Amino acid sequence: MKRFKILVKGVVQGVGFRPFIYQLAHKHHLKGWVLNSSEGVKIEVEGKNADLQSFIKNIKLKAPPRASIEHLSFEKLSPVGFETFEIKKSQEEKGKFILVSPDIATCKLCFKEIFDPKDRRYRYPFTNCTNCGPRFTIIEDIPYDRPKTTMKKFKMCPDCEREYHDPMNRRFHAQPNACPVCGPQLEIWSQGARVKDQPKNEKETEKWQPEVTPDPISSVINALKQGKIVAIKGLGGFHLACDATNNESVKTMRERKRRPGKPFAIMVKDIEAVKSICEVSLEEEKLLSSPHAPIVLLKKKPNIPIAEEVAPNNNYLGVMIPYTPLHHIILKESNLMLVMTSGNISEEPIAAENEEAIRRLGHIADLFLMHNRDIYSRYDDPVLRVFKKEPMMIRRARSYAPYPIHLDFNAKEILAVGPEEKNTFCLTKESYAFVSQHIGDMENEETMEHFLNTLELYKKLFRVNPKIVAYDLHPEYLSTKYALSLKDVELIGIQHHHAHIVSAMAENNVSEPVIGISFDGTGYGTDGTIWGGEILISTFKNFERFGHLRYLPLPGGSAAIKKPYRMAFSYLYSIFGKEWENLQIDFLKRINLKEAEIISQQIDKKLNSPLTSSCGRLFDAVSSLIGVRDVVFYDAQAAIELEMIADEKTKERYEYGTISHHSSLMTQERILENQAVVIDTFPIIKGIIDDLRKGRSKEVIAGKFHNTVAQMIVEISEKARKEKGISTVALSGGVFQNFLLLKKVFPLLEKKGFKVITNRQVPVNDGGISLGQAVIASAITSN
């Protein structure tokens, strides 16, 4: 007889791990105990040596489907004569932490129960087990036990208690376990007439009252079929739902939500329904059906019933299938396809609490479907796409965070506060980088509050007390101002595009120097200009600005971002001077000549016209110049619509030039002067104007432009490899959300013998920057 003391670390709480160990110990005739601790799952077992060895082997081989074992260690001890095997009370240990499971989509067994009229959980919208259901959204602290979740107020009935304590039941120690007798309940809230404007005070919100109805779900389905907008409380917050095939309903949703153009996500009942409206590859089907159940960007099929207003001027739909019992019941019984968009006004955090939802969404929704299970951490839905047969993150959220990015080195305890737009923060500890869920654009008090609350939760759960804080160099970012307000910490400013490249390096475990192509909209440069078309020779610690796109005035600053025609005019004025008036192109018929004169004076006098090397702004300018999009209503709209119309078959491209000037090698200690390559984009614009005069189509011009950018990346990479001897290219920045560009540039680079990496676990846009900030700060502060 021998005794083993075992410690298992990883995602091993909230995934049915203790019940699994209990059953495995009985199968191998072992005695002892298992418990949850703040460090992981602790086990002591004794028995015959062969049984013990087989037991340890099967812990890894047969672990529950949602478990992720990071580390398993054991030591041999003298037997103490255990008589049974039991699950002991959880143990809290100061300073220790475990990985926390994200929320998990409804499993097949629970799905079967909720549609079985003979089952006691028939149509119960909060059905779950150890293999599925809420996790991170209800956890207040670790170890993961019911008293430390928002389920603590629901006392289990005798039937649920019996399941909870039965080692052979799949609800054995399922912390959110509940049923219609003892668990959370639904409630409809309505009012006589929907308020037209956002409620300003409590009296206005009091107009909403609970409605007595025997079947809230049927009431919601009826409302949706009548074309109404319903606010539905889900796992991480409220969705705003309407019939996705009803163009008027979707249009009304846009008007009330103040979201004129940005695509809405939709939810359909199952994979077959997805296939009826979109092209779905095997990899996309696998991702849609996974326990993550994300929104997946899919190519639209022609002549589908989905309203044009759902995703105007877009060839793709963001589609998900139900991931909670409530969603499954609504979608299956209604047979509708629903818009399911975040319950918020654009740029604000998702509403999570009942009273908050009425206050913030009362002017949008016609009806509320509430429940009384509190949400501790608010979450949006994640958005992904499949590229080269692998998932690629666009928005990191529910079911992915707070699972960490694994680093191939031990980092100090660091907080990286992230950027202004699409903010996430990152906390590092040991070999883990905990990148938060999508926080939003840091432009208002509500988002800042969401940032602070979520940060405190992560610090508490993962026992991180950062003494090093990394921030973006832009002095006006709210996240930067927050970092600079902190006391008793070491502050490290990180250049925006360096952080982009290092984020791709870190998640791909590439520590050697890379040729970093960081193309995006804007980022604060070390020379005081606005960068965005950068070629950086990058390590974790330093970068050399090897090259960039040619500088151009950004007339009106942020006004030029929202009005791409300003960027188009800036190119015309910079290239042709006052001769722009003589260009025979349609663009000049659309632009206000008085405004053009004012813009030209802004440029001449350098009034609020900072210089930019932004590739994102180049896409904007081309989009406006050829008549695709002059004014945008959401981030990157002009570039997205340019991509959507591009002729993918054309092989043509435009000419561009290169010039050199002095740039800088940045280290923490000093600035070294060097010659940088400047990619001259002016010939591209001249070529486009020639094509416009010849009457060539927008589609062909857009296709040629994409080919040009792809070739530009390849040629500058070859030049960098020749001079620096580096053969790895890292692509990062919002421009690389352009699927067409990615599809073109990857094979071109690989054909030239480059190893190509990009972001996959964190977004390639600004949502991934916090990871790069944290890794750079760790490299800078390491000996």
Side-chain angles (χ1 to χ4, degrees), residues 340-494:
M340 289 288 258
T341 187
S342 299
N344 59 4
I345 294 292
S346 294
E347 316 314 334
E348 288 183 2
I350 189 170
E353 297 170 7
N354 293 349
E355 288 185 10
E356 172 203 10
I358 288 175
R359 188 179 70 251
R360 291 176 53 202
L361 307 178
H363 64 299
I364 302 175
D366 297 303
L367 202 67
F368 281 84
L369 181 61
M370 310 280 203
H371 62 70
N372 57 343
R373 185 180 69 201
D374 293 335
I375 294 167
Y376 196 73
S377 184
R378 65 185 79 213
Y379 264 76
D380 286 285
D381 291 309
V383 183
L384 289 89
R385 79 182 326 151
V386 172
F387 174 61
K388 290 175 73 72
K389 298 189 175 183
E390 292 291 333
M392 187 175 191
M393 190 72 65
I394 293 171
R395 181 170 73 191
R396 181 178 169 85
R398 168 192 55 80
S399 76
Y400 288 91
Y403 195 73
I405 309 299
H406 291 76
L407 306 173
D408 62 356
F409 60 90
N410 276 346
K412 294 183 177 181
E413 293 191 8
I414 292 169
L415 164 63
V417 296
E420 180 90 343
E421 294 185 348
K422 302 174 182 67
N423 180 274
T424 62
F425 62 78
C426 178
L427 288 166
T428 54
K429 183 167 184 168
E430 298 175 2
S431 61
Y432 300 118
F434 297 98
V435 179
S436 76
Q437 67 265 37
H438 170 79
I439 301 294
D441 291 352
M442 301 281 279
E443 295 174 350
N444 53 61
E445 190 178 329
E446 292 85 356
T447 310
M448 190 70 212
E449 185 180 348
H450 178 30
F451 173 93
L452 294 173
N453 291 340
T454 309
L455 175 58
E456 286 309 306
L457 177 62
Y458 273 64
K459 284 163 68 176
K460 179 170 70 171
L461 289 178
F462 304 119
R463 309 306 197 240
V464 183
N465 183 26
K467 294 298 181 187
I468 300 167
V469 177
Y471 62 91
D472 193 279
L473 292 177
H474 198 301
E476 293 303 314
Y477 282 2
L478 267 184
S479 54
T480 296
K481 289 179 177 179
Y482 165 73
L484 296 176
S485 74
L486 298 175
K487 308 296 182 189
D488 303 319
V489 294
E490 182 180 353
L491 293 165
I492 300 176
I494 308 292

Side-chain angles (χ1 to χ4, degrees), residues 103-163:
D103 299 61
I104 307 166
T106 306
C107 70
K108 289 180 180 178
L109 292 173
C110 285
F111 177 84
K112 187 178 178 183
E113 287 174 345
I114 60 176
F115 291 111
D116 181 358
K118 296 175 184 176
D119 195 280
R120 74 188 190 93
R121 289 187 174 86
Y122 175 57
R123 293 182 85 242
Y124 183 57
F126 304 97
T127 301
N128 66 84
C129 69
T130 53
N131 296 321
C132 68
R135 295 294 186 271
F136 188 66
T137 50
I138 63 169
I139 292 174
E140 297 174 4
D141 204 349
I142 56 170
Y144 175 59
D145 288 305
R146 195 175 180 107
K148 293 193 175 186
T149 74
T150 61
M151 285 296 294
K152 60 180 179 285
K153 67 181 181 183
F154 299 100
K155 181 174 170 54
M156 283 184 279
C157 67
D159 286 337
C160 286
E161 281 277 4
R162 197 159 35 250
E163 292 169 333

Side-chain angles (χ1 to χ4, degrees), residues 7 18 71 84 106 114 203 211 247 282 308 330 360 435 437 473 479 502 517 529 549 552 586 699 732 742 758:
L7 175 64
R18 287 176 297 173
H71 177 76
T84 60
T106 306
I114 60 176
K203 282 189 177 179
E211 188 178 287
N247 210 56
L282 286 173
E308 178 58 31
I330 292 173
R360 291 176 53 202
V435 179
Q437 67 265 37
L473 292 177
S479 54
V502 173
I517 312 293
T529 64
L549 301 192
L552 191 81
D586 283 344
E699 291 77 10
S732 190
L742 268 185
T758 190

